[in-house]
Amino acid sequence: MKCFLLSVLLAALVCSCQNQKWNKIHPTPSAEYMVLDEIKYVEEFPYSYTLQEGDEVADFNVIGIRDFLICDSLLIFSTVDKEGLWSCYSLRNNKFLGKFLKQGNGPNEFFMTPFVSQASIMYDENNNLNAIIYESMQHKVLKINISETLEKQELVIDELDIETPYPTFVFLMLNDSSFYVRTLSHDETKQERSIIEGGNKLKLHNLELLNKDSVQPGDHDFNIISILARYNPEKKIIVEAPIGLNYINLYSTTSNYGKSICAIEKEFDNISTIQKMKSWERLYTYAGITAFKDFFGTLYIGETMKDYQKNDKKKLPKIHLFTWDGEPLVELLLPHQATSFDIDFINGYLYAIDLRSDSFYKYDINKILKDIGDKIAYIAN
């Protein structure tokens, strides 16, 4: 009997220690928490790798890289080159394919560089690659036919007949007739999400929940709830990563499916608690998010704004890969600083750029991609 009671006591102690390790509060959607109904904690990833020292990439003659995107075998850079803000290369042979988008105030010119990773990339009925971008300075939605532009070596661009709310902070084209936006409220306490189809706002449960979040008025602290967002058109799922909170949100645009995932700390960040902190003491959390067919990835910084702005970084960034069902796949620890990343599946490389140091690295992840494929297949079965 004593042995039995001792076993029960030990089991209780183990459970208590596990609960102390992760304080699994389950926040509900409110002004305090930008979350959905389903809460998920990720204590560890099935695989964790520290990437080996990568190769600094010098194969591309590009002026001032600001951003980049990989689409199949095409590598597109956003740059500061006024004669061609976007430059394209083939990843099969690193061949330069052309550049387009001029800086200026004329027709089809841009006041500043559009970040290519924020474009909605779509193939049309002729299998042409198109980029849909929101041009905030002119308040326009533009469609760039990249395939025809490279073939003709002249810009093929159209303005779409789309009226977006103002000011729009995030724009995602979902299909030919609907789009997603985030707009700042008049009192600057909220950044409200909307999905607009045929000129009408759709009423979706997940958007109603997430739109409950807010900051206190008067402090211009709306960046705490600013997000990065990507969309998977096949699965019809949006993933959001806040730049000032330690969790991500994943939800469907056609159903009530959705979940909030915390894979960084022991509990979900509380918005009002963050707002009470001095701005330079707050953490810069997510800097990048990239969407792929079978999974997506987030780039986590985890530095105070003070250290990050002073370039006195004390931590190396992490990339977390998840399935579109929110299942954890891989944690990648980078040996260099980074502000965005993408994957070349043809050659098996992960590319990462750090705007602060103007460095561009690639890492061999062929084995990791195999592990990811095996894990996705296992989950599917």
Side-chain angles (χ1 to χ4, degrees):
M1 183 64 178
K2 290 182 179 179
C3 292
F4 173 76
L5 291 174
L6 181 60
S7 298
V8 172
L9 178 61
L10 289 173
L13 287 172
V14 169
C15 291
S16 175
C17 290
Q18 288 175 343
N19 288 333
Q20 289 174 9
K21 179 183 176 184
W22 284 76
N23 181 23
K24 293 187 177 180
I25 64 167
H26 281 69
T28 56
S30 65
E32 303 286 305
Y33 292 99
M34 188 170 65
V35 296
L36 296 163
D37 287 329
E38 183 178 345
I39 299 298
K40 180 181 178 69
Y41 282 91
V42 176
E43 296 188 24
E44 62 181 4
F45 284 75
Y47 301 99
S48 181
Y49 298 94
T50 299
L51 297 185
Q52 298 301 310
E53 193 74 16
D55 298 321
E56 189 159 11
V57 180
D59 302 329
F60 310 107
N61 185 24
V62 181
I63 300 174
I65 301 173
R66 308 306 299 159
D67 187 31
F68 75 103
L69 174 77
I70 295 173
C71 188
D72 298 326
S73 63
L74 186 64
L75 173 59
I76 309 173
F77 292 105
S78 296
T79 76
V80 297
D81 183 354
K82 295 181 180 180
E83 294 303 309
L85 297 173
W86 284 12
S87 290
C88 298
Y89 289 81
S90 170
L91 285 170
R92 298 187 187 279
N93 52 19
N94 294 342
K95 180 182 177 181
F96 174 67
L97 301 176
K99 63 181 182 180
F100 48 93
L101 301 187
K102 291 186 177 182
Q103 188 171 12
N105 297 315
N108 296 328
E109 293 183 340
F110 293 79
F111 182 74
M112 62 179 64
T113 303
F115 274 35
V116 64
S117 69
Q118 296 177 11
S120 298
I121 303 298
M122 297 180 172
Y123 285 93
D124 61 23
E125 64 275 7
N126 297 317
N127 205 32
N128 287 324
L129 181 67
N130 294 273
I132 315 294
I133 60 174
Y134 171 70
E135 214 294 299
S136 59
M137 300 301 295
Q138 302 178 62
H139 194 50
K140 294 179 179 179
V141 179
L142 303 169
K143 181 175 78 169
I144 304 166
N145 191 318
I146 297 174
S147 299
E148 288 192 7
T149 294
L150 294 178
E151 180 182 349
K152 297 177 180 179
Q153 288 297 298
E154 64 179 34
L155 181 62
V156 179
I157 187 170
D158 295 296
E159 181 180 349
L160 300 182
D161 185 18
I162 291 177
E163 184 177 348
T164 61
Y166 185 84
T168 291
F169 277 66
V170 180
F171 176 90
L172 296 173
M173 198 74 190
L174 306 183
N175 53 48
D176 291 339
S177 61
S178 64
F179 59 92
Y180 161 103
V181 290
R182 281 201 85 189
T183 54
L184 184 65
S185 62
H186 293 299
D187 61 2
E188 297 186 348
T189 63
K190 300 173 74 66
Q191 292 189 42
E192 296 182 339
R193 303 157 179 80
S194 301
I195 291 180
I196 300 174
E197 185 173 43
N200 301 311
K201 288 186 180 181
L202 300 184
K203 188 175 181 179
L204 297 174
H205 177 67
N206 287 322
L207 297 189
E208 291 177 352
L209 296 179
L210 292 174
N211 284 338
K212 292 181 179 182
D213 69 327
S214 67
V215 294
Q216 294 300 311
D219 293 326
H220 304 289
D221 277 337
F222 53 83
N223 274 334
I224 294 173
I225 54 175
S226 292
I227 62 157
L228 305 163
R230 298 292 181 268
Y231 177 63
N232 184 317
E234 292 184 4
K235 298 184 181 296
K236 296 179 172 52
I237 291 175
I238 290 174
V239 57
E240 298 181 356
I243 66 173
L245 301 172
N246 67 350
Y247 48 88
I248 60 177
N249 290 307
L250 188 69
Y251 57 92
S252 170
T253 61
T254 58
S255 72
N256 289 336
Y257 164 76
K259 63 178 65 174
S260 298
I261 304 170
C262 183
I264 300 298
E265 302 292 343
K266 299 177 182 179
E267 62 182 73
F268 282 68
D269 279 341
N270 179 292
I271 293 171
S272 63
T273 300
I274 301 297
Q275 192 173 11
K276 291 174 185 176
M277 299 170 64
K278 293 181 173 61
S279 59
W280 61 85
E281 293 176 348
R282 298 170 187 165
L283 285 186
Y284 179 23
T285 54
Y286 291 101
I289 184 167
T290 308
F292 309 103
K293 179 182 178 182
D294 296 317
F295 59 93
F296 66 90
T298 60
L299 176 65
Y300 182 78
I301 301 297
E303 296 276 4
T304 65
M305 293 304 299
K306 178 182 179 181
D307 289 341
Y308 187 80
Q309 294 296 335
K310 287 186 174 182
N311 210 20
D312 184 24
K313 302 184 182 72
K314 296 177 172 59
K315 300 178 182 178
L316 289 172
K318 302 175 182 179
I319 292 174
H320 288 158
L321 303 181
F322 297 86
T323 69
W324 287 101
D325 292 323
E327 292 301 317
L329 291 171
V330 173
E331 178 182 65
L332 303 176
L333 308 178
L334 299 181
H336 303 103
Q337 297 295 340
T339 50
S340 64
F341 75 98
D342 209 334
I343 295 176
D344 167 15
F345 289 93
I346 293 175
N347 300 302
Y349 285 102
L350 183 145
Y351 285 81
I353 189 173
D354 179 29
L355 296 182
R356 306 298 296 274
S357 63
D358 201 27
S359 57
F360 190 47
Y361 285 90
K362 69 176 182 180
Y363 306 91
D364 187 338
I365 61 166
N366 276 284
K367 180 184 182 304
I368 297 172
L369 289 175
K370 182 182 182 304
D371 290 340
I372 293 173
D374 292 344
K375 183 64 178 177
I376 290 174
Y378 175 79
I379 294 172
N381 293 327

